[in-house]
Amino acid sequence: MPTHSSLEPVEATTKAIDALLCAIEGNPSAGAVAAYRAAITRHGRNLIETAGAEALDEARERIAVLSPLAAEERREIISQAWAGLKSEPILTIEGTVPAVSTLHLQRAGRETSDVL
């Protein structure tokens, strides 16, 4: 069970991803679906940074039960979007927000010198 301090980020993530899933369930274009899934991944990363990796499971269940008829499909979409997030390194520099890891830059096709 998440601590009291992690409930606010979980709730915010739940609302944001619920809206993205509602958009996906409306059968948008393939390009839009890809963008929505990328946004779901970003929300997962943000949740880990603010509430810890254990908050992902709580958020996934909250989101799934918001639409009982689509609960399993929602769990699957979120699981795919969040695959590997718990094991991704989060690099931090004292006094700053978490930095982008080299792995994330490689996935985005960018050189590390582009942002460092």
Side-chain angles (χ1 to χ4, degrees):
M1 184 78 175
T3 63
H4 177 68
S5 62
S6 68
L7 291 178
E8 187 175 309
V10 170
E11 187 62 30
T13 299
T14 298
K15 288 179 181 180
I17 294 177
D18 179 51
L20 291 165
L21 289 170
C22 285
I24 290 172
E25 291 161 0
N27 296 315
S29 69
V33 170
Y36 296 146
R37 287 178 185 242
I40 292 169
T41 301
R42 282 192 304 276
H43 282 290
R45 281 194 187 105
N46 290 340
L47 184 59
I48 289 172
E49 292 170 5
T50 59
E54 65 281 350
L56 291 176
D57 295 329
E58 175 70 18
R60 180 180 17 249
E61 283 310 303
R62 285 185 184 200
I63 295 160
V65 300
L66 290 173
S67 181
L69 295 177
E72 286 307 312
E73 183 178 348
R74 284 173 161 235
R75 283 186 190 97
E76 182 61 28
I77 291 169
I78 295 166
S79 293
Q80 289 174 7
W82 290 354
L85 287 185
K86 288 183 180 181
S87 62
E88 283 185 358
I90 298 176
L91 304 176
T92 58
I93 301 169
E94 191 171 326
T96 65
V97 295
V100 177
S101 72
T102 303
L103 179 62
H104 290 125
L105 294 173
Q106 290 170 344
R107 286 183 184 159
R110 296 171 60 189
E111 295 295 321
T112 55
S113 60
D114 291 347
V115 293
L116 298 178

